[in-house]
Amino acid sequence: DTEVTQTPKHLVMGMTNKKSLKCEQHMGHRAMYWYKQKAKKPPELMFVYSYEKLSINESVPSRFSPECPNSSLLNLHLHALQPEDSALYLCASSQGPYNSPLHFGNGTRLTVT
Amino acid sequence: SQQGEEDPQALSIQEGENATMNCSYKTSINNLQWYRQNSGRGLVHLILIRSNEREKHSGRLRVTLDTSKKSSSLLITASRAADTASYFCATDTGRRALTFGSGTRLQVQP
């Protein structure tokens, strides 16, 4: 079992839909991350929040909008996605940014139709 | 962008055999970490080796680091079917979030 919880586990959405992915951790970690992973590829960093502030945006298209309401929660708002955005979206947390192991959730499998 | 490249891309062995995976990276690092990912699941941290360490053990795992060659290896001894997974190295430069290598898919045949 993972200490980082992601919901939903699976999501199918059309290109005109708006949906949100949610991530929660209660380990007191102060850094949270969104990664995108395509099949048989490594995770690719999308966003990093450090102490609830966005510290890294890896030039992600604006149709992905992250939000960190508090130190335990991380959301990823999705709007007007493309079929090529279909992937496994992984949330992770760490005690501090840049220097400690990541704890991953089990991801949301997103399919854009 | 990927910092690390791993080889082999895929490895198939019999239960009880040892499995060795290699990781090469490009820039100087603070530490290197190894993660395991079961199919369709999240990644699980296995072991961290700091830049001033050469070897580290954790149970059946042995990790080596050669900073002069910018390479690391992960050895899993006496493999089990449950070790079947993808294994990723990840480099920590202290300046940005972890960057993952391309991964090795390990299949352990019972």
Side-chain angles (χ1 to χ4, degrees), chain B residues 56-72:
Chain B
K56 201 161 182 179
H57 297 252
S58 176
R60 292 184 296 114
L61 306 180
R62 173 178 168 254
V63 169
T64 61
L65 179 65
D66 187 335
T67 53
S68 67
K69 295 182 179 177
K70 291 187 169 58
S71 68
S72 174

Side-chain angles (χ1 to χ4, degrees), chain A residues 50-67:
Chain A
S50 175
Y51 296 89
E52 301 166 44
K53 292 192 188 317
L54 184 65
S55 61
I56 293 179
N57 175 344
E58 289 287 294
S59 302
V60 178
S62 59
R63 58 186 183 268
F64 295 91
S65 175
E67 178 195 21

Side-chain angles (χ1 to χ4, degrees), chain B residues 15 17 27 39:
Chain B
E15 247 186 343
E17 293 180 339
T27 63
S39 181

Side-chain angles (χ1 to χ4, degrees), chain B residues 36-95:
Chain B
R36 183 187 75 228
Q37 184 178 32
N38 290 82
S39 181
R41 310 276 286 182
L43 285 76
V44 175
H45 177 257
L46 294 176
I47 196 166
L48 179 153
I49 186 166
R50 302 188 191 286
S51 59
N52 61 353
E53 297 175 311
R54 292 296 167 260
E55 187 170 314
K56 201 161 182 179
H57 297 252
S58 176
R60 292 184 296 114
L61 306 180
R62 173 178 168 254
V63 169
T64 61
L65 179 65
D66 187 335
T67 53
S68 67
K69 295 182 179 177
K70 291 187 169 58
S71 68
S72 174
S73 67
L74 170 67
L75 168 67
I76 304 174
T77 60
S79 63
R80 305 166 182 169
D83 294 328
T84 293
S86 291
Y87 292 81
F88 295 94
C89 67
T91 49
D92 178 358
T93 64
R95 295 183 296 276

